[in-house]
Amino acid sequence: MLFNVPNSLTWARIALIPLFVGVFYFPDRWLDVDGKNLAATLIFIVAAVTDWFDGYLARALNQTSAFGAFLDPVADKLMVAAALILLVQLSRVDSIIAVVIIGREITISALREWMARVGESAGVAVAFVGKMKTAAQMTAIPLLLYDAPLLSVNLRVVGEILIYIAAALTLWSMGYYLHRAMPHLVQHDRKVRGKNT
């Protein structure tokens, strides 16, 4: 189903991405730098909250769907990629960090698609290390977007530490998922070679 309550929230999250990026292109007479940072931070937080709500509502309203299962992670990855690219442009995140995180998402998405195709999707189910990576990443990004002290705490420094932790967990989780998938990859190749001989 393309449009139900959870999917509508997911579509709304995708629709927020142009606004999220566009905020930084507003003329300074509309929003100063601090205003742009605050607006982008709030949009990102709203998107993160809708991510939790669409999953909760899909289960509570019994409106889970194959399309929703596809669209939800796509929306998440688009928002995170947009945020990281913006932060690189704003010189708040090193480009290598963005490459590591975005590259991992592409790799694991492709791996999950392949594993689902051969009926082994359970082999790359979300693991605790993946949840830790997501928590660090989703905390770091709004702190780096806000980029101002709060209650005498330098949020940019905290955000930088967390994004490096997220990058390390990203590599760890990618290695974990590839290690879990490797026996299935090898077994599939053997079956294919067996059929061809």
Coordinates of all heavy atoms in Angstrom, one line a residue, residues 1-57:
M1 N 0.9 -1.2 0.0 CA 0.0 0.0 0.0 C 0.9 1.2 0.0 O 1.7 1.4 0.9 CB -0.9 0.0 1.2 CG -1.9 1.1 1.3 SD -2.9 1.1 2.8 CE -3.9 -0.4 2.5
L2 N 0.7 2.1 -1.0 CA 1.6 3.3 -1.1 C 1.3 4.3 0.0 O 2.2 5.0 0.5 CB 1.4 3.9 -2.5 CG 1.9 3.2 -3.7 CD1 1.6 3.9 -5.0 CD2 3.4 2.9 -3.6
F3 N 0.0 4.5 0.3 CA -0.4 5.5 1.3 C -1.3 5.0 2.4 O -2.4 4.6 2.1 CB -1.1 6.7 0.5 CG -0.2 7.5 -0.4 CD1 -0.2 7.2 -1.7 CD2 0.6 8.4 0.1 CE1 0.6 7.9 -2.6 CE2 1.4 9.2 -0.7 CZ 1.4 8.9 -2.1
N4 N -0.7 4.9 3.5 CA -1.4 4.6 4.8 C -0.8 5.6 5.8 O 0.1 6.4 5.4 CB -1.4 3.2 5.2 CG 0.0 2.6 5.3 OD1 1.0 3.3 5.6 ND2 0.2 1.3 5.1
V5 N -1.1 5.5 7.0 CA -0.6 6.4 8.0 C 0.9 6.3 8.2 O 1.6 7.3 8.1 CB -1.3 6.3 9.4 CG1 -0.7 7.2 10.4 CG2 -2.8 6.6 9.3
P6 N 1.5 5.1 8.4 CA 2.9 5.0 8.5 C 3.7 5.5 7.3 O 4.7 6.2 7.3 CB 3.2 3.6 8.8 CG 1.9 3.0 9.3 CD 0.8 3.8 8.6
N7 N 3.2 5.0 6.1 CA 3.9 5.4 4.9 C 3.8 6.9 4.6 O 4.7 7.5 4.0 CB 3.3 4.6 3.7 CG 3.7 3.1 3.7 OD1 4.5 2.7 4.5 ND2 3.1 2.4 2.8
S8 N 2.7 7.5 5.0 CA 2.5 8.9 4.8 C 3.6 9.7 5.6 O 4.1 10.7 5.2 CB 1.1 9.4 5.2 OG 0.2 8.8 4.3
L9 N 3.9 9.2 6.8 CA 4.9 9.8 7.6 C 6.3 9.6 7.0 O 7.1 10.5 7.0 CB 4.9 9.2 9.0 CG 3.8 9.6 10.0 CD1 3.9 8.8 11.3 CD2 4.0 11.1 10.3
T10 N 6.5 8.5 6.4 CA 7.8 8.2 5.7 C 7.9 9.1 4.5 O 9.0 9.7 4.2 CB 7.9 6.8 5.3 OG1 7.6 5.9 6.4 CG2 9.2 6.5 4.7
W11 N 6.8 9.3 3.7 CA 6.8 10.2 2.6 C 7.1 11.6 3.1 O 7.8 12.4 2.4 CB 5.5 10.2 1.8 CG 5.3 9.0 0.9 CD1 4.3 8.1 1.0 CD2 6.1 8.7 -0.3 NE1 4.5 7.2 0.0 CE2 5.5 7.5 -0.8 CE3 7.2 9.3 -0.9 CZ2 6.0 7.0 -2.0 CZ3 7.7 8.7 -2.0 CH2 7.1 7.6 -2.6
A12 N 6.5 12.0 4.2 CA 6.7 13.4 4.8 C 8.2 13.6 5.1 O 8.7 14.6 4.9 CB 5.8 13.6 6.0
R13 N 8.8 12.5 5.6 CA 10.2 12.6 6.0 C 11.1 12.8 4.7 O 12.0 13.6 4.7 CB 10.7 11.3 6.7 CG 12.0 11.3 7.3 CD 12.1 10.4 8.5 NE 12.4 9.0 8.1 CZ 11.5 8.0 8.1 NH1 10.3 8.3 8.6 NH2 11.8 6.8 7.8
I14 N 10.7 12.1 3.6 CA 11.4 12.4 2.4 C 11.2 13.8 1.9 O 12.1 14.5 1.4 CB 11.0 11.3 1.3 CG1 11.5 9.9 1.7 CG2 11.6 11.7 -0.1 CD1 11.0 8.8 0.9
A15 N 10.0 14.3 2.0 CA 9.6 15.6 1.5 C 10.4 16.7 2.3 O 10.6 17.8 1.8 CB 8.1 15.8 1.6
L16 N 10.8 16.4 3.6 CA 11.5 17.3 4.4 C 12.9 17.6 3.9 O 13.6 18.6 4.2 CB 11.5 16.9 5.8 CG 10.3 17.1 6.7 CD1 10.5 16.4 8.0 CD2 9.9 18.5 6.8
I17 N 13.5 16.6 3.1 CA 14.9 16.7 2.7 C 15.2 17.9 1.9 O 16.2 18.6 2.2 CB 15.3 15.4 2.0 CG1 15.3 14.2 3.0 CG2 16.7 15.5 1.4 CD1 15.5 12.9 2.3
P18 N 14.4 18.3 0.9 CA 14.7 19.5 0.2 C 14.7 20.8 1.1 O 15.5 21.7 0.9 CB 13.6 19.6 -0.9 CG 13.1 18.2 -1.1 CD 13.3 17.6 0.3
L19 N 13.7 20.8 2.0 CA 13.6 21.9 3.0 C 14.9 21.9 3.9 O 15.5 23.0 4.1 CB 12.4 21.9 3.8 CG 12.2 22.9 4.9 CD1 12.1 24.3 4.2 CD2 10.9 22.7 5.7
F20 N 15.2 20.8 4.3 CA 16.4 20.6 5.2 C 17.7 21.2 4.5 O 18.4 21.9 5.1 CB 16.6 19.1 5.5 CG 17.8 18.8 6.3 CD1 18.0 19.2 7.6 CD2 18.8 18.0 5.6 CE1 19.2 18.8 8.2 CE2 20.0 17.7 6.3 CZ 20.2 18.1 7.6
V21 N 17.9 20.8 3.3 CA 19.0 21.3 2.5 C 18.9 22.8 2.2 O 19.8 23.6 2.3 CB 19.3 20.4 1.3 CG1 20.4 21.0 0.4 CG2 19.6 19.0 1.6
G22 N 17.6 23.1 1.7 CA 17.4 24.5 1.3 C 17.6 25.5 2.3 O 17.8 26.7 1.9
V23 N 17.4 25.2 3.6 CA 17.5 26.2 4.6 C 18.9 26.9 4.5 O 18.9 28.1 4.8 CB 17.4 25.5 6.0 CG1 18.0 26.3 7.1 CG2 15.9 25.2 6.3
F24 N 19.9 26.2 4.2 CA 21.2 26.8 4.2 C 21.4 27.7 2.9 O 22.5 28.4 2.9 CB 22.3 25.7 4.2 CG 22.4 25.1 5.6 CD1 21.8 23.9 5.9 CD2 23.1 25.7 6.6 CE1 21.9 23.3 7.1 CE2 23.2 25.1 7.9 CZ 22.6 23.9 8.1
Y25 N 20.5 27.7 2.0 CA 20.6 28.5 0.8 C 19.6 29.7 0.9 O 19.6 30.5 0.0 CB 20.2 27.7 -0.4 CG 21.3 26.7 -0.7 CD1 21.2 25.4 -0.2 CD2 22.4 27.0 -1.5 CE1 22.2 24.4 -0.4 CE2 23.4 26.1 -1.8 CZ 23.3 24.8 -1.2 OH 24.3 23.9 -1.5
F26 N 18.9 29.8 2.1 CA 18.1 31.0 2.3 C 19.0 32.2 2.4 O 20.1 32.2 2.9 CB 17.3 30.9 3.6 CG 16.1 29.9 3.5 CD1 15.4 29.6 4.7 CD2 15.8 29.3 2.3 CE1 14.3 28.7 4.6 CE2 14.7 28.4 2.3 CZ 14.0 28.1 3.4
P27 N 18.5 33.4 1.9 CA 19.3 34.6 2.0 C 19.5 34.9 3.5 O 18.6 34.6 4.3 CB 18.4 35.7 1.3 CG 17.5 34.9 0.4 CD 17.3 33.6 1.1
D28 N 20.6 35.6 3.8 CA 20.9 35.9 5.2 C 19.8 36.8 5.8 O 19.7 36.9 7.0 CB 22.3 36.5 5.3 CG 23.4 35.5 5.1 OD1 23.1 34.3 5.2 OD2 24.5 35.9 4.8
R29 N 19.2 37.6 5.0 CA 18.1 38.5 5.5 C 16.9 37.8 6.0 O 16.1 38.3 6.7 CB 17.8 39.6 4.5 CG 17.1 39.1 3.2 CD 16.7 40.2 2.3 NE 16.0 39.7 1.1 CZ 16.6 39.2 0.0 NH1 18.0 39.2 0.0 NH2 16.0 38.8 -1.0
W30 N 16.7 36.5 5.5 CA 15.6 35.7 6.0 C 16.0 35.0 7.3 O 15.3 35.0 8.2 CB 15.3 34.6 4.9 CG 14.7 35.1 3.7 CD1 14.5 36.5 3.3 CD2 14.1 34.4 2.6 NE1 13.9 36.5 2.1 CE2 13.6 35.2 1.6 CE3 14.0 33.0 2.4 CZ2 13.1 34.8 0.5 CZ3 13.4 32.5 1.2 CH2 12.9 33.4 0.3
L31 N 17.2 34.4 7.3 CA 17.7 33.6 8.4 C 19.2 33.9 8.5 O 19.9 33.7 7.5 CB 17.5 32.1 8.3 CG 16.1 31.5 8.7 CD1 16.1 30.0 8.4 CD2 15.9 31.8 10.2
D32 N 19.7 34.2 9.7 CA 21.1 34.3 9.9 C 21.7 32.9 10.1 O 21.0 31.9 10.0 CB 21.5 35.2 11.1 CG 21.0 34.7 12.4 OD1 20.5 33.6 12.5 OD2 21.0 35.5 13.4
V33 N 23.0 32.8 10.2 CA 23.7 31.5 10.3 C 23.1 30.7 11.5 O 22.8 29.5 11.3 CB 25.2 31.7 10.4 CG1 25.9 30.3 10.7 CG2 25.8 32.3 9.2
D34 N 23.0 31.3 12.6 CA 22.4 30.6 13.8 C 21.0 30.1 13.5 O 20.6 29.0 13.9 CB 22.5 31.5 15.0 CG 23.9 31.8 15.5 OD1 24.8 31.0 15.1 OD2 24.1 32.7 16.3
G35 N 20.2 30.9 12.9 CA 18.9 30.5 12.5 C 18.8 29.4 11.6 O 18.0 28.5 11.7
K36 N 19.7 29.4 10.6 CA 19.8 28.3 9.7 C 20.2 27.0 10.4 O 19.6 25.9 10.1 CB 20.8 28.6 8.5 CG 20.3 29.7 7.6 CD 21.4 30.1 6.6 CE 21.0 31.2 5.8 NZ 22.0 31.7 4.8
N37 N 21.2 27.1 11.3 CA 21.6 25.9 12.0 C 20.5 25.4 12.9 O 20.3 24.1 12.9 CB 22.8 26.3 12.9 CG 24.1 26.5 12.2 OD1 24.2 26.1 11.0 ND2 25.0 27.2 12.8
L38 N 19.7 26.2 13.5 CA 18.6 25.8 14.4 C 17.5 25.2 13.6 O 17.0 24.1 13.9 CB 18.1 27.0 15.2 CG 16.9 26.7 16.1 CD1 17.2 25.6 17.1 CD2 16.4 28.0 16.8
A39 N 17.2 25.8 12.5 CA 16.1 25.3 11.6 C 16.5 23.9 11.1 O 15.7 23.0 11.1 CB 15.8 26.2 10.4
A40 N 17.7 23.7 10.6 CA 18.1 22.4 10.1 C 18.1 21.4 11.2 O 17.8 20.2 11.0 CB 19.5 22.5 9.5
T41 N 18.6 21.8 12.4 CA 18.6 20.8 13.5 C 17.2 20.4 13.9 O 16.9 19.2 14.0 CB 19.2 21.5 14.8 OG1 20.5 22.0 14.4 CG2 19.3 20.5 15.9
L42 N 16.2 21.3 13.9 CA 14.9 20.9 14.2 C 14.2 20.1 13.2 O 13.5 19.1 13.5 CB 14.0 22.2 14.4 CG 14.4 23.1 15.6 CD1 13.6 24.4 15.7 CD2 14.2 22.3 16.9
I43 N 14.5 20.4 11.9 CA 14.0 19.5 10.8 C 14.5 18.1 10.9 O 13.8 17.1 10.8 CB 14.3 20.1 9.4 CG1 13.6 21.4 9.2 CG2 14.0 19.1 8.3 CD1 14.0 22.3 8.0
F44 N 15.8 18.0 11.2 CA 16.4 16.7 11.3 C 15.8 15.9 12.5 O 15.5 14.7 12.4 CB 18.0 16.8 11.5 CG 18.7 15.4 11.4 CD1 19.1 14.9 10.2 CD2 18.9 14.7 12.6 CE1 19.7 13.7 10.2 CE2 19.5 13.5 12.6 CZ 19.9 13.0 11.4
I45 N 15.6 16.6 13.6 CA 15.0 15.9 14.8 C 13.6 15.5 14.5 O 13.2 14.4 14.9 CB 15.1 16.9 16.0 CG1 16.5 17.0 16.5 CG2 14.2 16.3 17.2 CD1 16.7 18.1 17.5
V46 N 12.8 16.3 13.8 CA 11.4 16.0 13.4 C 11.5 14.7 12.6 O 10.7 13.8 12.8 CB 10.7 17.1 12.7 CG1 9.5 16.7 12.0 CG2 10.4 18.3 13.7
A47 N 12.4 14.7 11.6 CA 12.5 13.5 10.7 C 12.8 12.3 11.5 O 12.3 11.2 11.3 CB 13.6 13.8 9.7
A48 N 13.7 12.4 12.5 CA 14.1 11.3 13.3 C 12.9 10.8 14.2 O 12.7 9.6 14.3 CB 15.3 11.6 14.2
V49 N 12.1 11.7 14.7 CA 11.0 11.3 15.5 C 9.9 10.6 14.6 O 9.4 9.6 15.0 CB 10.4 12.6 16.2 CG1 9.0 12.2 16.8 CG2 11.3 13.1 17.2
T50 N 9.7 11.1 13.4 CA 8.7 10.5 12.5 C 9.2 9.1 12.1 O 8.4 8.2 11.9 CB 8.5 11.3 11.2 OG1 9.7 11.4 10.4 CG2 7.9 12.7 11.5
D51 N 10.5 8.9 12.1 CA 11.1 7.5 11.8 C 10.6 6.6 12.9 O 10.2 5.4 12.6 CB 12.6 7.6 11.7 CG 13.2 6.3 11.4 OD1 12.6 5.4 10.8 OD2 14.3 6.0 11.9
W52 N 10.7 7.0 14.1 CA 10.2 6.1 15.2 C 8.7 5.9 15.1 O 8.2 4.8 15.3 CB 10.6 6.7 16.6 CG 10.2 5.8 17.7 CD1 10.9 4.8 18.2 CD2 9.0 5.9 18.5 NE1 10.2 4.2 19.2 CE2 9.0 4.8 19.4 CE3 7.9 6.7 18.4 CZ2 8.0 4.6 20.3 CZ3 6.8 6.5 19.3 CH2 6.9 5.4 20.3
F53 N 8.0 7.0 14.9 CA 6.5 6.9 14.9 C 6.0 6.0 13.7 O 5.0 5.3 13.9 CB 5.9 8.3 14.8 CG 5.6 8.9 16.1 CD1 6.3 10.0 16.6 CD2 4.6 8.3 16.9 CE1 6.0 10.5 17.9 CE2 4.3 8.9 18.2 CZ 5.0 10.0 18.7
D54 N 6.6 6.1 12.6 CA 6.0 5.3 11.5 C 6.2 3.8 11.7 O 5.3 3.1 11.4 CB 6.6 5.8 10.1 CG 8.0 5.6 9.9 OD1 8.7 4.8 10.6 OD2 8.6 6.2 9.0
G55 N 7.3 3.4 12.3 CA 7.4 2.0 12.7 C 6.4 1.6 13.8 O 5.8 0.5 13.7
Y56 N 6.3 2.5 14.8 CA 5.4 2.2 15.9 C 3.9 2.1 15.3 O 3.2 1.1 15.7 CB 5.5 3.3 16.9 CG 4.4 3.2 18.0 CD1 4.5 2.2 19.0 CD2 3.3 4.0 17.9 CE1 3.4 2.1 20.0 CE2 2.3 3.9 18.9 CZ 2.4 3.0 19.9 OH 1.4 2.9 20.9
L57 N 3.5 3.0 14.5 CA 2.1 3.1 14.0 C 1.9 1.9 13.0 O 0.8 1.4 13.0 CB 1.9 4.4 13.3 CG 1.8 5.6 14.2 CD1 1.7 6.9 13.4 CD2 0.6 5.5 15.2

